[in-house]
Amino acid sequence: FAFATMALTIGERVRCFLLVLVPRLFLALFRLVSPGTKRPKHLPPIRNPLLTLSAVQLAEKILYPVLSFRFSVAIQEAARADKLIEEENGGEEVLRNRFPLLGVPLSVKESFALQGMPNSGGLKSRGKVLASVDAPPVALLKRAGAIPLGVTNTSELCMWMESSNHLYGITSNPYDLERMCGGSSGGEGSIIGSGASVIGIGSDIGGSIRLPCFFNGIFGHKPSKDVVSNDGQFPSCTGLQNDYSGSGPMCRYAEDLLPLLKIMAGPTADKLSLSEEVDLKKFRFFTVVDDGGSPLTSPVDNQLIQAQKRVAARLEADLGVKVKEVSFPQLKYSFQIWDTFLALPDKDGKPPQPFVELMADGGSVWPFWELIKRIFGRSEHTVAAIGLALMESSHSSKPSQFILKQMEELQKEMEDLLGTDGVLLYPSHPLLAPKHHHPLFTPYNIGYTGILNILGLPVTQCPLGLSKERLPLGVQVVAGKLQDHLPLAVALYLEKAFGGWVDPGMA
């Protein structure tokens, strides 16, 4: 624990020791008592060629969506799209400019308000809550002609790496049904990765877009701060959380990312240079291989290390650029930085709403009692949610000055490095898609994605083919603030260079 001995108090050192020890003890216990599964591991191949098209291509073909969650309304909206085409006298180009996503099926993370659809955030006590309006980015996508199919699963209260709750159950990974699809936008990742949806919308306060995209082999983008509205979601952001959360697109094809982001951002898209032509040969490229060896996180899987090296080598060979390997010692404290900053009060001194209050939903919840009930299968809450509530109760009332200093230094160094033309490659997660429930024992791995939320940087998650286990490989592509067009351009390049999404039924 040498990393914790510098400038940390005795209490902080003890907490660091427990952060490492407790998950390892639970992992050993889990491996002893966990039963195996006998269900099929893989999906069949996709048979309908329409399911393998991008949103841009489908907008030209006008696909009729069929899904039970919103079947009747979706069919009515598809019929209206047909009528618009029949009555348009200005030609296809006029219609395309007015409705760039006309008739394209859309799935929506359940935490976003979609009028008439459930909006529980995975909380069992909110199982009968229906949204009365559309969240702003959902409304913008519908206004562009997209047709929502329905809503998809999340983790309980959208604060965990696996999409599992006691309202809808657990969502699996299409490449291996024994593995997790990620969270909290895991339902989106799974349904898009499996080919059952074309495009989707997710939110990301610690990796909730990027992790599902990584584990399910698709593209996703966490935008720069204050570009896409976070309003109309449950749970809502409190404290300073709105500064760190980002709502963005998820899709199988890189060409869909930019038009989706442009639509979701609305007038705020003017902050970005999304219409600017880019030349990748003029970018400055950097790569960071890991977080510097934090004892809290797992070592990066060698297959992910090699995949990132292949990206660097390909960039150098194709573009004639130099990909410089850099490191930031502050990344060792990524989890602590993320955990600390999410708990900070807003500019008026008001702290974020306690997680245990969200769990209670107007009632009362005692985390230790819920843990005992969970052991006997009587709690309405997941182990992950109970654990988060318990961890919250151990937070110090004052943030560590050492951690605040690490963040201040990292912010300056990262911004100085990236500027307006820099792009950085960073592992999405140290592990390939884990087996169900295993993140309970490696919770601090979220630091790889969470730190970029606190830094407020735009990040595009890009697939890089499959591992020897036939699981998705991937990488995060990071740029400076408001330079979203840079990683989006790199995503297009990487899709061509490494093949992009792979049909899990053919894997």
Side-chain angles (χ1 to χ4, degrees):
F1 294 94
F3 83 101
T5 62
M6 300 180 295
L8 292 179
T9 66
I10 293 176
E12 288 170 342
R13 294 180 196 178
V14 171
R15 187 166 185 262
C16 286
F17 177 77
L18 292 175
L19 285 174
V20 175
L21 180 63
V22 172
R24 291 179 180 177
L25 290 175
F26 277 111
L27 175 59
L29 179 63
F30 179 82
R31 286 174 171 168
L32 284 174
V33 302
S34 178
T37 60
K38 295 182 179 180
R39 59 182 176 178
K41 288 185 65 174
H42 303 289
L43 294 178
I46 294 174
R47 304 294 184 191
N48 189 333
L50 286 174
L51 295 176
T52 64
L53 298 179
S54 70
V56 172
Q57 293 168 325
L58 280 172
E60 298 176 359
K61 292 182 178 291
I62 314 301
L63 173 68
Y64 283 87
V66 180
L67 194 74
S68 59
F69 273 164
R70 203 173 173 268
F71 180 82
S72 59
V73 179
I75 289 296
Q76 291 171 16
E77 290 173 355
R80 284 198 291 271
D82 272 352
K83 189 174 181 181
L84 278 171
I85 295 171
E86 293 171 3
E87 295 177 350
E88 178 56 51
N89 297 320
E92 288 185 11
E93 194 62 32
V94 172
L95 197 61
R96 189 176 293 115
N97 289 335
R98 287 176 58 202
F99 304 104
L101 296 177
L102 186 62
V104 176
L106 163 75
S107 50
V108 177
K109 182 179 182 179
E110 199 259 20
S111 58
F112 284 84
L114 173 59
Q115 189 174 30
M117 289 283 99
N119 186 219
S120 69
L123 195 61
K124 194 170 183 179
S125 60
R126 285 177 56 92
K128 295 182 179 179
V129 174
L130 301 180
S132 58
V133 296
D134 293 325
V138 174
L140 288 168
L141 289 166
K142 289 173 70 174
R143 195 178 303 164
I147 300 177
L149 304 173
V151 293
T152 57
N153 203 14
T154 72
S155 54
E156 184 175 354
L157 291 169
C158 300
M159 280 300 290
W160 187 239
M161 288 180 279
E162 178 159 25
S163 292
S164 174
N165 55 69
H166 294 308
L167 179 60
Y168 301 118
I170 193 167
T171 303
S172 295
N173 189 306
Y175 291 87
D176 182 345
L177 302 182
E178 294 181 356
R179 295 178 183 265
M180 53 177 262
C181 64
S184 60
S185 309
E188 284 300 294
S190 182
I191 197 171
I192 297 169
S194 67
S197 178
V198 182
I199 54 174
I201 176 173
S203 57
D204 187 318
I205 199 170
S208 292
I209 287 174
R210 290 162 286 154
L211 287 175
C213 287
F214 169 44
F215 295 148
N216 297 282
I218 63 173
F219 292 90
H221 184 72
K222 183 200 79 67
S224 294
K225 172 187 168 184
D226 295 333
V227 170
V228 178
S229 171
N230 292 319
D231 294 341
Q233 297 182 51
F234 177 84
S236 58
C237 294
T238 55
L240 287 178
Q241 292 167 0
N242 193 64
D243 289 351
Y244 312 131
S245 184
S247 300
M250 302 171 67
C251 49
R252 290 199 299 281
Y253 302 102
E255 70 172 335
D256 291 336
L257 287 172
L258 190 146
L260 287 172
L261 177 60
K262 201 169 186 178
I263 292 165
M264 292 170 66
T268 315
D270 292 340
K271 286 185 175 183
L272 311 178
S273 303
L274 297 180
S275 300
E276 181 180 304
E277 292 213 9
V278 296
D279 182 356
L280 269 64
K281 294 180 180 180
K282 295 181 180 179
F283 290 8
R284 293 179 302 114
F285 287 94
F286 306 94
T287 184
V288 178
V289 296
D290 59 26
D291 65 2
S294 168
L296 295 181
T297 58
S298 305
V300 178
D301 187 290
N302 186 57
Q303 294 183 85
L304 294 172
I305 293 174
Q306 296 306 315
Q308 193 164 320
K309 285 183 177 179
R310 288 194 294 272
V311 170
R314 188 70 182 267
L315 286 167
E316 292 182 339
D318 290 353
L319 305 177
V321 299
K322 175 64 178 175
V323 181
K324 182 179 179 182
E325 185 172 321
V326 295
S327 62
F328 299 91
Q330 302 90 346
L331 288 175
K332 286 184 180 179
Y333 310 98
S334 291
F335 175 81
Q336 295 98 315
I337 291 171
W338 178 77
D339 187 48
T340 296
F341 275 73
L342 285 190
L344 292 180
D346 63 19
K347 295 175 179 61
D348 297 323
K350 187 176 181 180
Q353 184 177 7
F355 188 77
V356 70
E357 283 187 11
L358 290 168
M359 290 174 65
D361 191 30
S364 57
V365 165
W366 292 273
F368 280 109
W369 177 235
E370 291 299 323
L371 182 60
I372 294 171
K373 288 163 64 179
R374 181 75 260 141
I375 292 171
F376 295 98
R378 306 290 294 180
S379 176
E380 292 188 348
H381 302 286
T382 60
V383 172
I386 296 168
L388 288 170
L390 290 170
M391 181 180 290
E392 181 183 64
S393 66
S394 71
H395 278 168
S396 170
S397 58
K398 292 185 178 180
S400 164
Q401 293 302 306
F402 176 75
I403 294 300
L404 294 179
K405 188 174 190 318
Q406 296 303 305
M407 173 56 189
E408 181 182 354
E409 293 175 355
L410 178 61
Q411 185 97 58
K412 184 179 187 308
E413 290 183 24
M414 190 73 78
E415 290 180 359
D416 289 347
L417 178 77
L418 294 175
T420 59
D421 61 351
V423 170
L424 181 143
L425 307 174
Y426 192 52
S428 315
H429 196 70
L431 305 176
L432 302 173
K435 295 287 185 74
H436 285 302
H437 308 300
H438 277 227
L440 290 168
F441 317 111
T442 56
Y444 316 117
N445 287 343
I446 199 172
Y448 272 84
T449 46
I451 189 63
L452 298 172
N453 291 83
I454 307 304
L455 289 168
L457 302 176
V459 192
T460 304
Q461 174 60 40
C462 301
L464 298 173
L466 302 181
S467 70
K468 64 183 180 183
E469 299 89 351
R470 314 305 292 167
L471 296 172
L473 301 168
V475 69
Q476 295 185 94
V477 183
V478 189
K481 290 181 179 179
L482 301 179
Q483 306 304 314
D484 297 54
H485 62 295
L486 303 186
L488 294 177
V490 174
L492 288 167
Y493 165 80
L494 292 179
E495 183 176 44
K496 292 177 181 177
F498 292 91
W501 169 77
V502 178
D503 179 355
M506 302 296 289

